[in-house]
Every structure is written in C-alpha cells, then in structure tokens.
Amino acid sequence: MIDLVGKTAIVTGGARGQGAQEVRKLCKAGAAVIIADILVEEGAALADSLNSGGGQARFFHLDVSNPDQWVSVVNEMEDWQGRLDVLVNNAGIVIRKSIAQMDLDTWNRVIAINQTGVFLGQKTVADLMRRSGGGSIINISSNSAFTAHQDPAYTASKWAIRGLTRSAASEYADWNIRANAICPGLVVTELNRGAPHLKPMIDATPSGRAVEADEVANLVLFLASDLATSITGEDIVIDGGFLALSAYRRVQRAS
C-alpha cells in the first residue's frame, strides 16, 4: 500500500541478494531507482527486468569507496529525474578473520566499503536531497553493531554505521532529511547459503529461522515512505529476537 510514485532512490549493493530485494520493493512502489553496484552484468540484468515489467530502473557502476564515483552517480540521478529522495547504503562485505589473523590490507578493505562508503554516500547525496525538499537515508548496519561478530573489521564498521547515522540525522534535520540504521540479524542469501555458522545462529534465534531478505526490504520501504516521517536517528533491529532474547531463553531452557 506504500506509494512512492514520483520519488527516486539510489541503492548501493543493489545488484543481488538483499539489495536486489530492496530495489524491487522500491520500484514496485513506484520509485525510480538507480541500482549502484560493481556487479555490472547482474545489475544491468536486474534493471532490464524491472523496466520490462513497467518499472523505472537504471544500473550505475559504483565503487562505494570512491568519492568521484559517488559524485557521478548523484549527478546521474539529477540528470535523469531531477531529484533524490532516498539513499539506501546497502553495500557491504564480510571477511571472516579473527583479530590475530587479520592483516591491515583486509581491515582497510572492509572499512573502506562498509564504513567509508556510508560516510561518502551520506556526504554526497545531501545537497541534491536538500534541494529536493528532504528525504530518507537508510543505512544497513547489523545486530552485530550491539555485540561482537567474529570478524573485527565487520563488527567495527557496523558499530560505526550507527554513529554515522546519528550524525547525519542531527546534521541534516533542518533540511528535512531523516537518517536511520537497519540492523538485521542472520539473513540467508546466495552469498552465505551453506556457511557453517548458519545452523547454530538459527538454533539460537527465538523465531527459529533466519530473517528473509524480503523482510528487510519491507522495512527499507517503510522508512523510505512518508509513513516514517517522524522516525530519524534510530537503530532498528530485525533479527527474530536474537539480540534481545536468545541468551535468557537458553538459561530458561537449561533450568
């Protein structure tokens, strides 16, 4: 029932997985969407599929750690639609190494994509979003941003996204720009299906299952819409109760 006709969005990491679901939801609601990703074939194919179904989508090659490419994608949106209403900072990577195992190059790569990419996105879109009358920045963090994930760069970057979100929410409030962080738990996509940590995490989740990418996309759609105009600076956890409930449930079951 959410109507985004006349609105526009940029979704990073939008070519596949959770990002692609976010793109589909926004397009179905009527938004014109730029799919920003380094996966050219998958991103272009998704745009073609959406356009053939009556949607409005374009693919744009974007390395989120590159400030010049950020300027280019925002310019592309302004040339195409003349406005920007929504940014979804969805792009991110996980490289599972412990502190002892992790080298500096790996650390820097994860931080550049997961953390610096969010900073650059928030910085670069702000002027066009302000000139469009305001908008919604939606940063994809993780429930690991409240605890520890056995990947120090990933964990640090997801904690940092919460701070970046609140900084943007405060700084941009006078421009009618909202900023919120979505913090999913385990989401199973083609990127992690079959990983050994999935079953133990699902077993510890009170809902008894992983979060669906479609469920995260529904939350993105809500935050992008005018239904969420009073929500800003928030960390919204969507993890089947894992963060809030799993530890005490294990105690209860053992007693």
Side-chain angles (χ1 to χ4, degrees):
M1 300 297 292
I2 290 175
D3 184 357
L4 296 181
V5 173
K7 304 289 188 180
T8 67
I10 295 171
V11 180
T12 71
R16 68 180 179 187
Q18 180 179 295
Q21 284 297 96
E22 294 160 3
V23 169
R24 292 185 187 101
K25 290 282 184 179
L26 292 165
C27 273
K28 186 175 181 180
V33 182
I34 287 182
I35 304 160
D37 208 312
I38 60 171
L39 301 174
V40 176
E41 290 186 7
E42 289 168 279
L46 178 58
D48 288 344
S49 173
L50 292 167
N51 290 330
S52 66
Q56 296 183 82
R58 286 188 179 185
F59 173 76
F60 193 95
H61 180 275
L62 174 66
D63 171 356
V64 294
S65 67
N66 186 312
D68 292 334
Q69 291 185 23
W70 266 111
V71 171
S72 295
V73 72
V74 172
N75 288 342
E76 174 81 3
M77 178 59 86
E78 184 167 20
D79 291 343
W80 180 33
Q81 295 289 327
R83 62 183 297 117
L84 177 61
D85 302 283
V86 179
L87 169 65
V88 185
N89 277 312
N90 175 84
I93 61 171
V94 179
I95 299 176
R96 297 185 184 282
K97 292 185 177 181
S98 67
I99 294 173
Q101 296 169 331
M102 184 162 286
D103 57 274
L104 184 58
D105 286 344
T106 302
W107 168 274
N108 286 339
R109 182 184 174 209
V110 174
I111 296 299
I113 295 170
N114 292 11
Q115 179 175 328
T116 305
V118 170
F119 162 73
L120 291 173
Q122 292 188 157
K123 177 181 177 66
T124 312
V125 304
D127 182 62
L128 179 56
M129 203 171 270
R130 175 185 61 80
R131 289 187 281 115
S132 303
S136 176
I137 296 171
I138 304 164
N139 298 323
I140 305 299
S141 181
S142 168
N143 67 353
S144 298
F146 298 86
T147 180
H149 190 290
Q150 289 189 350
D151 176 344
Y154 179 85
T155 299
S157 69
K158 295 302 184 179
W159 276 81
I161 287 171
R162 293 177 60 208
L164 286 165
T165 299
R166 294 191 179 195
S167 292
S170 176
E171 184 174 341
Y172 297 158
D174 290 343
W175 295 349
N176 195 33
I177 296 172
R178 298 177 290 111
N180 292 286
I182 294 177
C183 304
L186 176 64
V187 180
V188 180
T189 70
E190 60 266 31
L191 302 181
N192 63 355
R193 189 169 284 109
H197 70 282
L198 299 189
K199 186 179 185 303
M201 288 191 69
I202 291 171
D203 289 345
T205 300
S207 66
R209 63 176 178 85
V211 179
E212 299 289 340
D214 193 60
E215 293 175 306
V216 179
N218 283 335
L219 185 50
V220 167
L221 185 63
F222 170 71
L223 291 173
S225 77
D226 290 342
L227 296 175
T229 51
S230 290
I231 302 175
T232 191
E234 296 297 332
D235 310 310
I236 303 171
V237 178
I238 175 170
D239 70 352
F242 181 91
L243 191 67
L245 306 172
S246 62
Y248 193 62
R249 275 171 58 89
R250 286 197 295 271
V251 174
Q252 287 178 310
R253 288 177 172 181
S255 61

